[in-house]
Amino acid sequence: MFKRSLFVVLVLMCAALWAAPAAKGPYQHAVNLPVVGAEQQTYFGPAEESHLRPPDGRLDDPIGSIYLVGSTWYDYQHNGSAGKMIGMDNDGFAHFVWMKGMTSMVGGPRRIYYQVWDPTTQSMMFLNSGNMPTGVQVDAGARGGYACQAVMPGGMAFPGYHEVRNGISGNHSAMAIDFLPRLGAFTSTQPNLIYESGSPLELIWPKVAMGHDSVLHMVTTHSLPTAGAPQRIYYSRGIPQWDQDGNGMQIFWQNVAPGNLQYKVLDTAMTIAADVAASKLSSRVAIAYPRPRRAMNDSANQYDNDIYLITSNDGGLTWGPRVNLTQFTNQDTLRAYNDVSVLFDDNDVLHVAFTTGFYDMMTPGGPYISSQYSMIWHWDEQHNQFSPMARDWEFNSDGLVGAWQRLVQRPSLSQDEVTGYLYSSYQKYDLDAISEGGFYQGDAWITVSTDGGAHWSTGRNVTDTRPPIVPTPAGFCWSERDITLADRVFYFAGQGMLNLEYVKDADAGSIPQGEGVATDNYVYYHQVNVTDIPTTPLMPNFPFHNGQVPPPVVGRCCYLDPINPFCSMETEALCAQYGGVWDSTMTCDTPCPSSFECTCQNAPNSVCNLTGGPIGDFAPSLIPIHVPTQYHVTDVNVCLDITYPDDMDLVIQLLSPAGHVSTLASRQGPGGQGYSCTTFDDEALDSIPQSFPPFRGTFTPETPLSVFDGENAMGDWVLRISGAQAGDSGRVNWVCLSFQYDEILPVELASVSANPEQGGIRFRFATATENRNDHFELWRSASATGEFSRIASIRSQGNSSTAQQYSYLDADVVAGTTYS
């Protein structure tokens, strides 16, 4: 005969009357409003000892650690390529440079500032009298701008920038040398100027790199007073000079061109985008830049470019021929835009990343050039192929990216020399965050390649700052821009860290271009653990030549994503390539049909409340789910469907019959409607606290559902839900629980009770059904956490489909003792 025992545990506690504190109501989102006459931006003060940035906007749990570096009224740091504004030395110190606008006037004083982060104190080194990070001034001229830098392994920094010097007309490129590592006492130097027609040429917007032999390499661009005119690209070579004590004194600029010139012409272009890299293993130097495909007398050449590469094998003394990497033809619809990033890895392999836009020679009335569709690509010497790194598109008129910008842009390459993985940061505009001026707000993203650049991950948003108000007033935007990534991963206590620097623009748009209003913006240092950047999924491979099709507004392409079906205006060929369903007769004003079937209600071992109930404000609504079967729970998932105007303000909890609680969601702040067939599962990849409406798909809850593991599922479960905003109302349409179990319990309990009576404690229980059950055992302990011992074995009915009553008197008890 098959026998099975059922263990029933009952907790009997002494009753005591106690006063419970008043339950905390849902908290309101704190908003800091400007005061009349005060600055437009309020500083949310971090702890002075660390200067960690506090959570901001809708980024409640930043990916990594973020530190305040300094500030600038000049949101705009570079026109095109940004080079490297951040560098790491061998001791883990992070070095930063930036262009600091000193006042709200665009034409006002502008300086180059330098800052250092100390890994031992995890704080910035250069503070003001109020112990706030400010940095120190680098340039010695009347005005400075467009900073980048090279950093020696020993901690000596070499900022590059252009400046105006007294007595010399125009701006001119310069580099500075620190007196000692991380001291911040700089001496500025310039190559000898080149004169034409009696006036010095403005050779500006420098990018700099340092080779394995400590030689400095600088590439600059000729700025002509005539708009739309060709601009020459120049190279300069500098040797740091030290005194007998090893102190940095100056940079000696060598002659690199006939006529004892310290500037050498390499090529002519129409963009401000050349970047330079130097090998850490050999004397190789590389310069990459966008170059127009047609005559250099057309302003459209800013968009219609190939990527060119020119290299030196002897440290910049001689240069090879220029090489057209991309070789676009009139049949191609890609064109290189205005930024590029260059890197030599630790195997001396050269990598180039760059941005493209779409260019259509067939559009009536002339070429179609889209700032709203962009892709980032990678090329390297080893694979000699083009691999997509990032892409984005948008074809509505709701927002603008601004001058010199693309929807996704500005790659900045880096390498983890331990794993060999390649990384790149990039900027991507958030189409759901628009300023009052009509400009999209940017975020910092990172992508990774584990195979030397042949394939790249789809990228992760590491800032994801969304403002509490959209459209966002000036002073309250969270727009990360001019993002650069240190050229190597640094390991702190065995943890590989990616190191970024960027400006947080408090009013999206570029002030020098007349976009937005001037705000005093913060410069930030951001550390991200390499383990926080997923290596999959990978970007799909798109054709680079002969087959890319421009996306004019010609038809609706529905992407039937199982989580969030969405619509894009694209051509049929591109829609098919990306796996969408195309319709030439409809526009994106018509919603895409969903390919998502909600199967929660039919899931195995699923128990539902299909009638749901209303949701009010503040007062919790209780939605019961009765489970009639006795499962020994090993896992439980929750699936629900809710109609509510602002899902970000809902507090949702699940209570078990045993009294345990899991908080599924407890979000505060603005949001949207979107609990549509939403599943909560401890094993999900996406987290509710790090996600935003619409919530369709599977998410991990705020607190684990594993709290219910080991329980008997039978009884009344309760979905407790309340809103956090007065006046909002909605409805739980339905809710289902899905169980996994290791056994179906052989007895369906109807009731259990224990009451004191003369002579002991009377233990009673009743069963509704019994199935092949042999007997019941009663176990007891003198404390809830103590050791249990069996005190009785009670014979059962074995098999029964009718109610059965059982009773047992425990006479071996002591008055005043609490038993479990």
Side-chain angles (χ1 to χ4, degrees):
M1 177 179 175
F2 178 80
K3 298 183 178 180
R4 179 177 287 171
S5 298
L6 169 67
F7 289 81
V8 179
V9 178
L10 175 68
V11 179
L12 304 177
M13 301 296 293
C14 305
L17 192 62
W18 58 285
K24 287 187 176 180
Y27 60 88
Q28 299 293 320
H29 183 75
V31 178
N32 288 271
L33 299 177
V35 179
V36 174
E39 292 182 350
Q40 289 179 311
Q41 182 174 327
T42 301
Y43 175 67
F44 299 83
E48 290 187 352
E49 64 273 13
S50 67
H51 304 292
L52 270 167
R53 184 179 76 171
D56 46 46
R58 284 168 58 181
L59 179 64
D60 299 323
D61 187 15
I63 299 174
S65 300
I66 308 177
Y67 301 86
L68 180 62
V69 173
S71 64
T72 176
W73 283 88
Y74 225 82
D75 52 11
Y76 184 105
Q77 294 291 304
H78 294 277
N79 301 84
S81 301
K84 296 294 185 185
M85 297 170 64
I86 178 173
M88 302 295 297
D89 65 33
N90 280 354
D91 294 319
F93 288 81
H95 302 249
F96 315 93
V97 293
W98 71 99
M99 174 169 56
K100 180 177 175 66
M102 309 300 288
T103 70
S104 60
M105 296 176 58
V106 173
R110 193 181 69 189
R111 300 294 187 185
I112 304 303
Y113 265 62
Y114 169 77
Q115 179 67 278
V116 178
W117 180 81
D118 185 339
T120 58
T121 62
Q122 297 194 10
S123 62
M124 298 298 160
M125 292 178 59
F126 302 113
L127 313 175
N128 65 11
S129 58
N131 202 32
M132 291 299 296
T134 54
V136 294
Q137 184 176 322
V138 175
D139 59 311
R143 181 176 169 84
Y146 301 89
C148 57
Q149 66 173 329
V151 177
M152 291 186 71
M156 190 75 77
F158 298 86
Y161 49 91
H162 68 235
E163 64 181 0
V164 176
R165 289 201 171 184
N166 294 329
I168 303 176
S169 62
N171 294 275
H172 304 283
S173 290
M175 286 191 73
I177 182 173
D178 206 347
F179 186 69
L180 288 171
R182 303 180 284 271
L183 183 62
F186 290 96
T187 300
S188 179
T189 68
Q190 292 182 346
N192 292 334
L193 303 181
I194 299 177
Y195 286 79
E196 289 184 0
S197 303
S199 298
L201 298 182
E202 280 198 295
L203 307 181
I204 57 178
W205 301 301
K207 301 297 177 290
V208 300
M210 174 174 278
H212 75 293
D213 51 4
S214 300
V215 173
L216 294 165
H217 306 275
M218 180 170 71
V219 59
T220 57
T221 304
H222 179 203
S223 174
L224 286 177
T226 304
Q231 299 167 304
R232 288 175 295 216
I233 298 173
Y234 286 86
Y235 166 77
S236 297
R237 187 177 195 269
I239 310 297
Q241 303 295 299
W242 324 89
D243 67 14
Q244 61 184 5
D245 297 319
N247 301 316
M249 302 305 294
Q250 64 173 340
I251 298 171
F252 172 70
W253 296 98
Q254 294 185 319
N255 296 331
V256 292
N260 296 324
L261 297 180
Q262 295 177 3
Y263 284 100
K264 177 180 178 63
V265 178
L266 296 180
D267 204 347
T268 305
M270 290 287 292
T271 58
I272 311 168
D275 192 26
V276 61
S279 171
K280 298 179 176 64
L281 302 174
S282 69
S283 297
R284 300 181 70 206
V285 185
I287 295 173
Y289 53 97
R291 188 178 193 275
R293 298 180 57 253
R294 48 185 170 169
M296 303 221 184
N297 57 5
D298 190 332
S299 61
N301 286 339
Q302 185 184 105
Y303 317 98
D304 185 14
N305 292 282
D306 278 302
I307 294 295
Y308 275 72
L309 177 67
I310 184 169
T311 59
S312 169
N313 293 323
D314 56 9
L317 297 176
T318 60
W319 291 85
R322 69 188 188 199
V323 177
N324 185 345
L325 290 183
T326 52
Q327 300 185 45
F328 292 126
T329 70
N330 287 340
Q331 284 70 47
D332 294 321
T333 53
L334 292 179
R335 295 292 188 272
Y337 188 56
N338 195 48
D339 58 41
V340 64
S341 177
V342 192
L343 175 78
F344 282 101
D345 66 22
D346 63 348
N347 291 315
D348 216 20
V349 175
L350 178 63
H351 300 263
V352 180
F354 57 94
T355 300
T356 62
F358 268 88
Y359 184 94
D360 181 13
M361 297 296 293
M362 304 304 294
T363 299
Y368 172 86
I369 302 170
S370 172
S371 64
Q372 303 290 69
Y373 192 113
S374 54
M375 296 182 69
I376 300 176
W377 298 84
H378 168 270
W379 172 91
D380 68 85
E381 294 174 316
Q382 179 179 355
H383 298 97
N384 192 28
Q385 68 182 37
F386 296 97
S387 304
M389 302 171 69
R391 73 186 285 261
D392 207 355
W393 69 96
E394 176 67 15
F395 292 99
N396 61 38
S397 57
D398 292 343
L400 304 169
V401 295
W404 300 95
Q405 305 291 296
R406 286 294 180 263
L407 207 57
V408 58
Q409 61 174 8
R410 305 290 170 85
S412 185
L413 290 167
S414 178
Q415 187 190 28
D416 185 338
E417 296 173 349
V418 174
T419 63
Y421 290 1
L422 291 169
Y423 293 85
S424 181
S425 64
Y426 58 94
Q427 178 181 324
K428 184 175 179 179
Y429 282 103
D430 185 347
L431 304 181
D432 295 324
I434 302 178
S435 72
E436 282 190 345
F439 292 92
Y440 293 126
Q441 300 175 49
D443 283 311
W445 290 66
I446 297 178
T447 178
V448 58
S449 171
T450 63
D451 57 7
H455 300 87
W456 292 80
S457 70
T458 54
R460 184 170 189 184
N461 189 340
V462 297
T463 53
D464 198 19
T465 45
R466 301 188 187 183
I469 304 171
V470 176
T472 309
F476 293 92
C477 290
W478 293 94
S479 185
E480 288 81 22
R481 58 168 301 154
D482 296 287
I483 304 148
T484 69
L485 179 64
D487 63 1
R488 62 169 172 159
V489 170
F490 194 89
Y491 276 76
F492 297 94
Q495 297 294 312
M497 292 291 176
L498 294 152
N499 300 275
L500 302 96
E501 177 187 356
Y502 50 76
V503 173
K504 191 278 293 177
D505 187 2
D507 189 39
S510 301
I511 291 301
Q513 304 297 326
E515 301 166 355
V517 302
T519 50
D520 193 8
N521 308 299
Y522 294 132
V523 181
Y524 286 119
Y525 169 41
H526 192 158
Q527 287 183 342
V528 179
N529 196 309
V530 292
T531 59
D532 287 326
I533 307 302
T535 58
T536 58
L538 298 176
M539 282 288 295
N541 283 322
F542 307 113
F544 192 74
H545 287 293
N546 300 323
Q548 283 283 8
V549 180
V553 182
V554 294
R556 180 182 79 154
C557 183
C558 281
Y559 294 96
L560 302 182
D561 187 279
I563 303 302
N564 181 28
F566 63 94
C567 181
S568 175
M569 299 306 298
E570 295 182 0
T571 64
E572 184 175 10
L574 196 64
C575 182
Q577 180 181 327
Y578 296 147
V581 178
W582 190 74
D583 190 328
S584 63
T585 64
M586 304 180 72
T587 70
C588 280
D589 294 334
T590 305
C592 283
S594 174
S595 65
F596 185 80
E597 272 187 44
C598 188
T599 59
C600 300
Q601 300 170 7
N602 300 319
N605 307 314
S606 182
V607 183
C608 301
N609 180 329
L610 299 179
T611 59
I615 306 171
D617 49 8
F618 302 111
S621 299
L622 306 178
I623 312 297
I625 310 104
H626 178 71
V627 179
T629 308
Q630 296 200 95
Y631 297 124
H632 183 252
V633 177
T634 59
D635 188 59
V636 60
N637 296 335
V638 184
C639 187
L640 48 77
D641 195 275
I642 295 172
T643 301
Y644 195 76
D646 192 348
D647 290 335
M648 294 290 286
D649 286 327
L650 286 178
V651 179
I652 309 172
Q653 295 177 309
L654 179 67
L655 289 70
S656 73
H660 293 130
V661 180
S662 168
T663 298
L664 306 180
S666 178
R667 302 301 306 273
Q668 301 298 314
Q673 303 180 34
Y675 280 110
S676 178
C677 193
T678 307
T679 298
F680 294 91
D681 183 349
D682 286 347
E683 286 72 48
L685 296 177
D686 296 321
S687 168
I688 275 286
Q690 296 179 356
S691 303
F692 297 96
F695 297 119
R696 170 177 276 183
T698 304
F699 304 87
T700 57
E702 289 198 15
T703 63
L705 289 160
S706 59
V707 68
F708 305 125
D709 290 356
E711 291 190 25
N712 182 357
M714 181 184 171
D716 286 328
W717 297 68
V718 176
L719 186 77
R720 183 166 62 191
I721 183 169
S722 61
Q725 293 293 332
D728 283 349
S729 62
R731 183 173 184 83
V732 176
N733 299 316
W734 51 263
V735 58
C736 294
L737 308 181
S738 177
F739 295 97
Q740 292 183 24
Y741 56 89
D742 58 9
E743 60 180 347
I744 297 179
L745 301 180
V747 172
E748 182 179 351
L749 282 173
S751 64
V752 178
S753 66
N755 296 293
E757 65 177 49
Q758 186 175 1
I761 296 175
R762 176 65 63 178
F763 183 75
R764 294 185 176 90
F765 62 98
T767 65
T769 61
E770 297 179 25
N771 179 29
R772 294 188 299 172
N773 183 60
D774 183 67
H775 66 280
F776 300 96
E777 293 182 356
L778 182 61
W779 293 61
R780 187 187 68 192
S781 173
S783 68
T785 59
E787 182 177 351
F788 284 79
S789 59
R790 184 172 63 181
I791 62 171
S793 178
I794 305 169
R795 177 65 59 183
S796 73
Q797 293 296 319
N799 291 282
S800 174
S801 58
T802 59
Q804 301 293 327
Q805 303 287 333
Y806 297 91
S807 175
Y808 176 79
L809 179 65
D810 183 5
D812 187 19
V813 294
V814 177
T817 302
T818 299
Y819 292 93
S820 300

